[in-house]
Amino acid sequence: QTEYTLLTELAPLSSNTLTASTYDTPLTPLLTLFTDTLSSLTSLIKRSLHKYTFHALSAFSALSMSQSRWESVLEKRGREGNELRDGLNAIRGVCLRSFPELLADLKLAAVGKGSGLSVSLADITISTVRYLNRIPDVQDAVGPALCALGDGNWRMGDGKQVGKTAKSNSVEVKERVLIQHFVYDVMITLIGSLTTLSRTQRRPPFGSVFLLNNIPHLVSHLILRPTNPNTPSLPSKPAIDFLTSSWRTAKAGHFDANFSPLMQALADDPRDKTSGSGWKAAAKEKFARFYDLLEEVGERHRMAKALDEDPEERSVVGEEVVKLVVPSLQRFMQKQKERVQQE
């Protein structure tokens, strides 16, 4: 803009056409450099989209903010063409492609290789938390991109919508709702893949600990203690409810796979007709079975750490386990004492 002002004030040019063509001369190499740089950046992003998604979104956000100033400069050069608009369209296409590919990668992870004894955080859990915590920083690019893609089209025809987008004349409201819908679908897909991994590639007790470690990590790092303070605004109420429900289901599955056998070992068997002194041998056998299973559970949890990164939640789950198992043991012991007194 400064160069154009100096040109019109100082150059003895006789017409606007000559001024525009003269102004285009120093502008051309700058535009060529910009076009080449943006083309190289777009090619790099396309080669590894999952790695450079946020480069694309950041570039789209930054360049979009410069569009009005860019156009005011280019209209003075006297010829057609808008290199920024062309570059934005290319980056915009890459951004639109990134959302379906994220969901596709999460689904594909469910058939990946894994260790039958590993209960640590899955790579898809860590990468998804990192992805969602970065969205608020480029939300002004994510919103318009999802609007252009269309509600639910990131699922590529698969899945269910959370609900219809609320009718509103506010573009900002519509973008926020679409981001919430997208985050909900990410949560559904991620937890579905984690559940599949826990069932198909791990023994049930280890699979339950695997879910117990991964799902609360999502709750903690997306809702309760996110690295980005704006992240909790992304999930809608259905998404938060789904995460909370999945956490409760994971705890129930962990209790069932690891501690239900302890209570079953002490339960009354209706087929047991032992009478006389034989009940003592049966009681000793149940005690032995209970403590064998307890040792097995203890050894398993020493090897497969549950909630190792969250001592507070680990303590809460431990207290719930005590409330679940100890009363069964106390009832069994009381019943044996009563039988002894009756003899």
Side-chain angles (χ1 to χ4, degrees):
Q1 185 64 45
T2 302
E3 284 78 359
Y4 184 80
T5 301
L6 291 173
L7 184 64
T8 55
E9 291 178 354
L10 301 177
L13 300 175
S14 57
S15 67
N16 291 335
T17 303
L18 287 174
T19 301
S21 61
T22 303
Y23 179 60
D24 188 50
T25 300
L27 206 57
T28 298
L30 296 176
L31 294 175
T32 301
L33 176 63
F34 171 79
T35 301
D36 292 344
T37 302
L38 197 56
S39 177
S40 298
L41 175 63
T42 305
S43 298
L44 174 66
I45 293 171
K46 285 181 177 179
R47 284 198 296 271
S48 186
L49 181 56
H50 70 282
K51 182 178 180 181
Y52 296 116
T53 294
F54 284 92
H55 288 73
L57 291 168
S58 297
F60 183 78
S61 174
L63 293 175
S64 294
M65 291 189 292
S66 304
Q67 194 164 7
S68 59
R69 291 182 58 198
W70 180 282
E71 290 175 351
S72 69
V73 170
L74 291 191
E75 66 183 9
K76 299 178 177 63
R77 67 175 180 169
R79 64 184 179 88
E80 296 295 326
N82 189 323
E83 289 80 358
L84 177 60
R85 184 179 60 223
D86 296 339
L88 274 174
N89 286 336
I91 293 181
R92 178 172 171 268
V94 174
C95 291
L96 296 184
R97 205 183 89 196
S98 70
F99 303 116
E101 289 202 8
L102 171 67
L103 293 179
D105 288 343
L106 292 179
K107 289 180 181 178
L108 189 61
V111 296
K113 295 180 179 180
S115 169
L117 300 180
S118 174
V119 297
S120 59
L121 293 177
D123 290 340
I124 54 173
T125 300
I126 297 171
S127 63
T128 301
V129 166
R130 187 181 299 124
Y131 180 97
L132 294 177
N133 272 305
R134 294 181 67 181
I135 282 184
D137 297 332
V138 290
Q139 194 163 337
D140 53 348
V142 174
L146 291 176
C147 284
L149 188 59
D151 192 3
N153 288 334
W154 49 79
R155 293 191 300 267
M156 295 184 290
D158 185 21
K160 297 180 180 179
Q161 294 187 20
V162 179
K164 294 182 179 179
T165 304
K167 292 183 178 179
S168 172
N169 294 325
S170 171
V171 173
E172 183 180 349
V173 170
K174 183 180 179 182
E175 290 178 357
R176 185 169 65 250
V177 170
L178 289 183
I179 291 174
Q180 290 177 345
H181 287 187
F182 174 68
V183 170
Y184 178 84
D185 285 334
V186 169
M187 291 293 97
I188 289 282
T189 306
L190 172 61
I191 292 180
S193 292
L194 291 174
T195 302
T196 300
L197 286 172
S198 72
R199 292 173 178 171
T200 59
Q201 298 189 18
R202 288 163 177 82
R203 291 163 49 193
F206 289 93
S208 67
V209 178
F210 172 75
L211 287 181
L212 194 70
N213 285 333
N214 279 266
I215 293 180
H217 182 83
L218 299 174
V219 177
S220 174
H221 289 76
L222 297 178
I223 307 298
L224 302 179
R225 296 182 293 274
T227 56
N228 189 324
N230 296 316
T231 301
S233 66
L234 298 180
S236 60
K237 187 178 184 304
I240 295 174
D241 290 345
F242 176 72
L243 270 178
T244 305
S245 173
S246 298
W247 174 216
R248 288 196 300 266
T249 302
K251 285 198 290 186
H254 173 252
F255 294 154
D256 185 60
N258 291 278
F259 299 102
S260 288
L262 293 175
M263 294 183 293
Q264 291 169 1
L266 300 177
D268 291 332
D269 187 350
R271 297 171 300 177
D272 186 3
K273 305 298 183 180
T274 304
S275 59
S277 61
W279 67 267
K280 292 184 180 180
K284 289 181 180 179
E285 184 178 343
K286 287 186 176 183
F287 265 123
R289 175 63 177 160
F290 175 85
Y291 284 107
D292 286 345
L293 289 171
L294 183 62
E295 179 61 29
E296 181 181 327
V297 170
E299 182 62 32
R300 182 186 306 137
H301 282 77
R302 283 189 287 272
M303 179 172 57
K305 299 289 187 180
L307 296 168
D308 204 29
E309 67 163 25
D310 193 342
E312 183 179 345
E313 192 61 47
R314 180 186 176 95
S315 177
V316 171
V317 172
E319 291 175 2
E320 292 175 352
V321 169
V322 170
K323 292 177 182 179
L324 183 75
V325 177
V326 171
S328 295
L329 179 59
Q330 289 174 335
R331 286 193 297 269
F332 180 79
M333 294 178 67
Q334 182 62 32
K335 183 176 293 186
Q336 306 314 311
K337 289 180 181 178
E338 292 174 354
R339 296 189 69 172
V340 169
Q341 292 171 356
Q342 291 173 1
E343 288 191 344

